[in-house]
Amino acid sequence: MKMDSSEKQPAEDNFQGDPTGKQKASGETESSNVQPPPENNTTSQSAGAQEAHTQAEDPSQDKVQAPAASEQVQQQPGGSSDAVEEEEERMGMKKLSEDMYYNYDELYSRPVITADSEIPENLLHLTHSFGYDCGRRANLQLLDERTLAFVAGNQLIFLDVRTKEQRYLRSCSGGGIGTIMAHPSNRYFAVAEKGDQPNIVIYEYPSLRPYRILRGGTGQAYSFVDFNHEGTLLASVGSAPDYMLTLWEWRHEQVMLRCKAFSQDVYRVTFSPDNPGQLTTSGSGHIKFWKMASTFTGLKLQGLLGRFGKTALTDIEGYVELPDGKVVSGSEWGNMLLWDGGLIKVEICRKGGRTCHAGTIQQFALDEGELMTIGSDGAIRGWDFESIDTADCNDDSGLFEIEPMNEMVIGRNVSLSSMVKSCLPDSFIWFAQDSNGGIWKLDLSFSNITQDPECLFSFHAGVIQGMDVSSTSHLMATTTLDRSVRIFDFLAKKELTTSRYKQGGTTLTWAPRLVNPSGGLVVVGFEDGVVRLLELYNPQSLRVVAGRSRYGDAELRLKQAFKPHNAAVTAIAYERNGEILATGSMDCTVFFFTVGDRYDPIGFVTVPGPVQGLEWSPQSHGKNTLLVLCRSGHVVEVQSPDPEAQNHGTTYHISGLPTRNFTFSSIKSHIKREEEIARRQALKEKKQKEREAQLKKAKEEGLEPTEEELQEVEEEEELPPLYTPDPPSPLCCGFYSLPGAFWLSMGGYDSGFLYHCKFSEQQGEDLLQRRDEPFTFLPVQNTDEDPICTITFSSSRQLLLCGMQSGSVRAYPLQPPDFHLTSMQAFWALSVHDNQYGQLRQLRCSFDDQFVLTTGEDGNIFSFSLLPQEDLLKALQCSKAKVPSPRVGVEMEGVAQDIEDPSAYSIETAKQKLEMDRMRREAEMRKVERRKMLAELQNQFKQLLEKNQGLPEHVRLHRTELELDWRFREETERMTAQRVREARKELAWEEERHRIGLQKLQERFWDSLESDTVTVVAFQSDHRISTYRLLALSQRFHELKQRGRVGGPGTVGQERWRNKAEAGKDSSNITADQEDLGEEAVMAPHVVRPGGSKLAGRQAEKLRKATEKAERARVKIEKRRKEWAELYATKPNENCEDPEDVRAIRLATENMGDFKLKTAKDFTVPEHLRMNAEKKRAQLVHLEEKIHERKTQMNSRIMALRDTKVSLVSRLRSQAQQLQAVQERLAPHFCSPAPTLPSLLPEETPETKLRYTRTTLQRYGALRAQRACTRGQELEGGQTLLEQLEAELEKQEETPCHTPADMREREVEESGVTELEEEMREVEEIRLLYEEESLLEQMSSSMWQFDAELCLLRHEKLCLDIQMKLADLRHVTLFQELLLLKEFEKRENSLQERLNACVEEEEDLRSKLEECKQALELKRRDISKLQERERAIAATFQASLGENNKFADFLTRVFKKKIKRVKKKEKAGDDEEQEDSDEDSDEESDWDEDEDDSGSESGGPLDDSVCPPNCNSELFENTVQLRERRLDLEELLVEERKTADNLRKECDSLVKKEKVVHGSLKAAEGDLELFNREKQQKLNELDVVVPLRLHQIEFVSNGVVPCSLAPALVLNTVALGGLQERIKELQVEKSEQRDLYRQARQQHVQLIHDRKDMEAKIQSLEARCEQLMLMKFGKLVDLEALQTLSGNRNLEEMRQDSRVREAAYTQEVRQWEMKVTEARHAVTEVTRHHTERLLSMNSLLSQKKEMEDKLNTRQSRMGTQFQGRRHAEEDERQRLYQLVQSQAQEANALRQEINILSRKGGHILPPSQAPLPPLPDAPSRSTRTNPERLNRHFKLGGGHPSTTSQGLE
């Protein structure tokens, strides 16, 4: 049933509400018939639940509050379980009793039957299940020692291991079963279902009664459930879309906690067996660790997401919780991950980096201290639990290597996914689920008596691709992609036989009776396009051959195999007459075969898409046609080909076969639109009738209808749009109805209908553009999202069976013949396979219509009976199906040839290949004939040429005359040139390839060779010398060399410390000039000098001379101070030591004393001897460079010798020619034998091997052609082509030996020779003999000298060879040390970085500390300078007072007075006041105390703003200015002291930090020292080869060399002799140092006495100086200050300026006094006039008063009510008198204050009078206004209150 969106919404949102309605269940505990709650709970979430749901979204840390049992409790989350129980009792709830059970008959899901139909409920009855959903996780549970339970679609199957009987438990929801789990006690098991709001049903075992129902745990399906170790709690986790984790108190059907587990698929959830409050979940790309925690708000669930870190993200199938809280999980690549605290502690693998399993680790088991892992590779391995629990990684790889303790490999094609242990105590038997379709029994005792693994049950693995039933017996054949074909007897409920192949099966059909009357032929199609014909027979009926017995009830034998397709075969169908077999494939072809003893191909046709199904037309149709259904929505009708037609073409493609095409076009949107139009029309008619009824009723009541009622206005909504799916909907299945018409079931958008279609008469359109619509349709209920995937009819066609995508089976009763399916109304539906992935693939009825068999994509195969069980037993008398008997003589037939190679040619490809081979053979034959003809013509032409040559010349034809046409020759040449160009183009790539190959070979073997081996041989001996074969230094060598020049990390620290010391030394030497410059910059007073001098004449000249004298004295003093400073700078510190002594001590420390050997454990590696990988690499580079340099030098010398030999050989040849010329002129008896001329051997000039000329290449080509002509024959003793060519070249180069060619005797006729001629002949002979002798001597001496040089050089090279061998050994040692150091490099770098960081931090702190100390020292000097300036100001003030100044005390008080000063920022506009600091230095004068004393003595306030009378105003102003300067200095002092204090605090903090950093530095140095010691120990373990001779071994024991030299020490002889000589030298040095020490002590004593004498002399001179100073000055004075004292130019200028300003101020004061006098006269005159006006006003007021009195008297007579006002007038008058008196007193007080203020010289007006208080109400108007006028009078006048008082009187 489809559920709309309003029903689905609560399933996603209601995670926190009460899901089960447990009040009702608990209230009916006495009844076993409990009604299930409604499927959807629409209770909204409370605020607390929403908050918990928000927290659950956090994937890493989830805190979820436990939901309560009702909404009231839910609104107040938290509290303990007791509080929940109390709340339940308050709400009237009761706990479920332990003996309460549900009724299974009311719970299990039943078939869906159309209402008011007569279809029986038990239409189909499950008889057996032949499959196993082996791909489902944890689909194997053990309920007792012999019963296994697993899920099969909507059934829970209980399998008896011994009897193999099955029991079934149907799901309650009808939506399938998600997972199952057995209780730890095996008394219960949980079935978690699928569907809308599925439940978890707890069944009791073995009664199988429903015990508890847990509701509302998830929205769609459960993926895993698990009981805790005690069995009191149950944890469940849901699948998409909510992935809800729920904890249940399952016995009371209560939800304890719930939370969203993750946002992706969750595979498992388990309780920790050792930690009850911990859970673990794992799944797609995650693992999560949960903990139940009791808080003040209740029980909460906290989740911690595991973080993979550097490890790759992986899906986690299996894991196990360790007792200490750690978790071990698997990974996709087969290693184990050890989790601790949410992080991967280590990754566990096998030795050598091998993975623990070759695939995913599916499950872990912790059994008796052994950790077992179950992998998808079919292996079970046992690991040491303690080693894994304490595993840790020592490097950055993160791997921990361990080998398994035990191992069991089940099989090669086994993939284990889960295991359960036997429930028997002390049993080692486990039952394992094999994902490749099996259930295994394993003995994991790992002992000597361990049993071999036993496969208890074998099933298909994966989707059932093909299934069909026999037409003669109750047999069924199936095939899947697991490469097996199985035959089942569904009557006997067992598997008969299994046959396995190289490829997986994709479709299967059973041959009908017309083809095989015995019913023993099965046709199977495979994924590689092969079709196999398999014969099924009973082997027991065969005759025994060669003594072999037959086993089993059935056997499959390959009859024929052929390959018609290049892709998977998807459909196979026999023609209705059984004469033709058609096969369809994914390669969009349909192949036809003739049926017989051997199936022969007819041909194939192509179709528009992959073939989905094939169906031949029935016998009722006139034409014999094949209906081809394509998955793309195309339908093709093909006429049956003629099986007798012979195909002699080059292909099997049938081109002239009549076909009709149909391309499905969607009409579902049209159907929906028509339904909407009809609905709207019906609604419109209904509204029209209601409106007419209302109008009629109104008319009867006499009411007139309004215009709005009369006008019908309706807004038409837009109709749903027309939609065509793109891509088109897939075609699921179809079948013939009438000739040319057929029914189709579509998937996707077009599902929900059966479409009746027919072929159009117009078949000429393009298939891609063709669109055909069905002419009618039939709606199918509830199939919009669940299309029909397969359709089959019973043999009587009275029952239509449909297989749905949801795994359910539908049965429609029909009334045949009903080709239009008009009777397809009522139906019977039952969920059989898994509702999510169990789509039905095949649905078949048995030959007698008594059984229905179904297969699905979930791997399950079910057998149902169409009759009730009783009727079925009556109808079936036999207990098993009949297996066909074998054919006669089948046992004697040979084995049919199978096609096992998946890349084998198909029938069509093989035929095309045969045709191509035939055409190729014919072409080759024609080529051979043409070549033969050409060869004959060439022979004839040659004969003609020979005949022509034999003719006389005058009749001989010229070659040009033999040409028939010169254009033929040109055309031939042109074609030849063109062919050459084409050949070059064709060979261009090959040429370039060979060129590049040659270039690479040269670069690899020749260019990298710096010097090849060159051998130089002596002339007269066998001595020879060879060069070293040197390779050029690589680029990496130069990079390492350049890196070594930069310097390693070891030198950086030393340079850093050296730079640090130099920087500290430089920073400590601050020159006096810089200090003075800083002091002047800080201490310079802010005095603005005037532009020009105000002094002139004598005063200026006097002041100038004094200044020059003081300047000369200051320069002299400064020079002397600098000299003293330089002298004291050279003075060494008391603790300073002589640098020479320090250097000698350091040298002695490094080279003398008791030093430990490097092999000692407490050996400390010195700083300069510490070695790292970089230094060792530099040593290697240096060694290689030296080796290369020495070899290069030797090679250059040898090459020079070779060049000498080459030149010598050429010279010897020339000398030999000269000798030959001489001997030709001598008589033979005078000729000495010439020496043998030497020649250069090939190894002496190897570079000539690569030299060649065109002649050489031509000769090489000729030899190659000659060798080609004589194939297989070895020329010249089996020489190769290159060797033969070299031999010929050597013969050509050999110089022939020139001996005297003409040895004829000179016949000298004695008679014809004169004496002179005889004498001349003798002289010539003597000369020639001398030349001969000299030439022979030169030749022999040059050869002897060359041989001597070669012997010397050979000796040197032998010595160098020894050194090179030692260097090679050294190189090996260095390389071993480098490899070892590389292992330590990471740790060393980390320690070195730590040390460098500490050093840098310490340097930074020291530099900051030095800067801070320098700044503090500068501040101290600044403070001292300010204090000196302060004292100078005080001295200047005292000097300005002079002697016997009567105002000295007053001016001193003015000078020392402290006043509040406004700081600069206040002057800029800030009104806030700042107080001066109260800090004073220890050296500050006691001016404040003096000021207080002077203030107390004066007895009155000090007014420093007014100069007292008779006091010099200039002196007063000077005192005020000096005070200002003094206050400025005090402020500067306060600021400087604050800065100094801050610097001092900063210094203290830096010192503390430096101590901490120094401690860290020491710790880092200690760690590095320990590391270096460990590294040195590892280096000591390396073996170093030292070649020694016997006389060098002096390690003897009792005069015998011991057998082991391990404790011996290898020393250089020179070093040993030096050590022995050093002993004597040290004795001499010791005596010399003792004498030096004695002399130094005597000199030290003498220097102490001299120092005391000098100190006494200095004290006497200082006393005499002070005495003379007192005699001259009367007190001790500073002579330097006295010498630099000069006239104060500023003071003189200020005095002059003061006198000028005093005169100007006096004149100005006189003018102001005159103005004041005039103003007083004016004020007096104005006051007089004012007084007169007041008097006149007073008289007027008196008159007015009299008039008012009269009026009052009159009014008083009018009644007694006005008598009381007289008293008020009297009171008013009295008040006025008092007011006048008080004002007179105030006027007197103001007059006195004015007098006091006028004494200070200021002109201050009298203050204004305050307003009078308001007067009370008076009886008359005059009394009210009079005081107001008086008040105004005092405000305006106010100068003479006495006058005012007289006026008032």
Side-chain angles (χ1 to χ4, degrees), residues 618 620-621 735-739 741-743 756 775-776 778 793 797 814-823:
S620 59
H621 292 194
F735 57 92
Y736 266 119
S737 59
L738 294 172
F742 49 90
W743 288 94
H756 203 181
F775 66 90
T776 185
L778 180 66
F793 291 89
R797 298 188 70 89
L814 299 178
Q815 297 179 0
D818 187 5
F819 300 108
H820 296 280
L821 301 181
T822 56
S823 61

Side-chain angles (χ1 to χ4, degrees), residues 1598-1643:
N1598 297 325
V1600 180
V1601 177
C1603 58
S1604 175
L1605 298 179
L1609 184 64
V1610 180
L1611 284 176
N1612 194 349
T1613 307
V1614 178
L1616 182 61
L1619 291 175
Q1620 294 173 352
E1621 293 293 331
R1622 183 59 182 166
I1623 295 174
K1624 302 176 182 178
E1625 293 177 1
L1626 287 176
Q1627 293 176 354
V1628 176
E1629 289 179 2
K1630 183 177 180 181
S1631 60
E1632 292 178 355
Q1633 291 296 329
R1634 189 178 293 110
D1635 296 338
L1636 289 175
Y1637 178 70
R1638 189 181 302 108
Q1639 294 175 5
R1641 286 194 62 181
Q1642 295 175 359
Q1643 186 179 1

Side-chain angles (χ1 to χ4, degrees), residues 72-137:
Q72 290 80 1
V73 180
Q74 181 189 2
Q75 294 174 359
Q76 297 177 357
S80 61
S81 59
D82 296 336
V84 175
E85 294 175 359
E86 293 175 1
E87 188 65 24
E88 290 176 354
E89 293 177 359
R90 184 178 64 81
M91 296 300 296
M93 296 177 60
K94 297 181 180 179
K95 293 185 177 180
L96 299 177
S97 61
E98 295 184 358
D99 56 351
M100 192 277 289
Y101 293 88
Y102 293 90
N103 188 356
Y104 174 73
D105 295 333
E106 297 181 359
L107 291 179
Y108 77 91
S109 60
R110 290 176 168 79
V112 178
I113 305 174
T114 304
D116 301 330
S117 65
E118 298 180 356
I119 302 176
E121 183 177 345
N122 59 348
L123 178 65
L124 295 179
H125 177 72
L126 179 64
T127 59
H128 196 74
S129 172
F130 294 96
Y132 178 43
D133 191 358
C134 55
R136 183 191 292 262
R137 292 186 179 87

Side-chain angles (χ1 to χ4, degrees), residues 1342-1543:
S1342 59
M1343 288 189 293
W1344 178 83
Q1345 184 178 2
F1346 176 81
D1347 291 348
E1349 292 179 359
L1350 188 143
C1351 290
L1352 291 175
L1353 190 59
R1354 177 173 172 270
H1355 178 73
E1356 294 181 8
K1357 185 174 182 295
L1358 290 176
C1359 297
L1360 183 60
D1361 289 340
I1362 296 173
Q1363 297 178 5
M1364 291 299 102
K1365 289 299 180 183
L1366 294 176
D1368 291 339
L1369 293 175
R1370 177 63 177 165
H1371 189 277
V1372 171
T1373 304
L1374 291 178
F1375 189 74
Q1376 292 177 351
E1377 293 177 352
L1378 178 62
L1379 294 179
L1380 187 61
L1381 290 173
K1382 279 185 178 180
E1383 297 178 1
F1384 289 93
E1385 189 173 8
K1386 291 183 179 179
R1387 290 175 57 192
E1388 185 177 13
N1389 290 339
S1390 62
L1391 292 174
Q1392 190 65 39
E1393 288 175 0
R1394 176 186 168 192
L1395 179 62
N1396 293 340
C1398 293
V1399 170
E1400 291 177 359
E1401 188 175 1
E1402 187 178 20
E1403 289 178 0
D1404 189 17
L1405 289 175
R1406 287 188 176 179
S1407 62
K1408 290 181 179 179
L1409 184 60
E1410 290 295 332
E1411 293 175 0
C1412 187
K1413 288 181 178 179
Q1414 293 176 10
L1416 183 60
E1417 183 64 27
L1418 290 176
K1419 289 299 176 184
R1420 288 175 179 172
R1421 296 178 183 179
D1422 293 344
I1423 292 172
S1424 62
K1425 291 290 184 180
L1426 289 174
Q1427 291 175 351
E1428 290 178 1
R1429 290 183 58 189
E1430 189 177 15
R1431 288 192 289 270
I1433 290 173
T1436 304
F1437 170 71
Q1438 293 294 334
S1440 64
L1441 287 180
E1443 298 181 358
N1444 300 326
N1445 193 337
K1446 60 181 179 179
F1447 292 100
D1449 295 337
F1450 173 75
L1451 293 176
T1452 302
R1453 284 186 292 166
V1454 170
F1455 177 74
K1456 294 183 178 181
K1457 183 181 180 182
K1458 274 193 172 183
I1459 61 175
K1460 291 184 179 180
R1461 296 160 55 85
V1462 179
K1463 293 188 178 180
K1464 295 180 180 180
K1465 62 180 180 179
E1466 293 178 347
K1467 294 178 181 179
D1470 191 359
D1471 297 335
E1472 297 180 0
E1473 296 182 356
Q1474 300 289 338
E1475 295 183 358
D1476 294 337
S1477 176
D1478 296 335
E1479 298 180 359
D1480 297 331
S1481 65
D1482 298 336
E1483 300 177 0
E1484 187 178 1
S1485 61
D1486 300 332
W1487 289 343
D1488 297 339
E1489 298 177 1
D1490 297 341
E1491 182 181 353
D1492 296 338
D1493 297 341
S1494 61
S1496 62
E1497 291 174 359
S1498 61
L1502 175 62
D1503 187 7
D1504 59 351
S1505 62
V1506 180
C1507 181
N1510 300 326
C1511 181
N1512 189 358
S1513 59
E1514 294 181 358
L1515 182 58
F1516 179 77
E1517 293 295 336
N1518 187 28
T1519 303
V1520 173
Q1521 292 180 2
L1522 290 175
R1523 182 184 64 185
E1524 291 296 329
R1525 291 175 60 187
R1526 179 183 64 81
L1527 293 175
D1528 290 341
L1529 289 176
E1530 287 181 356
E1531 290 180 357
L1532 286 175
L1533 274 171
V1534 171
E1535 292 178 0
E1536 294 294 333
R1537 288 194 182 96
K1538 287 183 178 180
T1539 306
D1541 292 340
N1542 294 334
L1543 289 174

Side-chain angles (χ1 to χ4, degrees), residues 704-717:
E704 293 293 334
T706 62
E707 294 181 359
E708 296 178 357
E709 295 177 353
L710 293 175
Q711 294 179 358
E712 180 181 1
V713 179
E714 292 186 1
E715 295 182 359
E716 290 289 341
E717 296 181 2

Side-chain angles (χ1 to χ4, degrees), residues 30 138 200 580 646 859 953 1171 1199 1330 1362 1545 1649 1797 1827:
E30 300 298 330
I200 301 176
I580 298 175
Q646 297 295 327
E953 187 175 357
M1171 188 59 61
M1199 292 301 294
Y1330 174 75
I1362 296 173
K1545 293 178 181 178
H1649 291 304
L1797 292 175

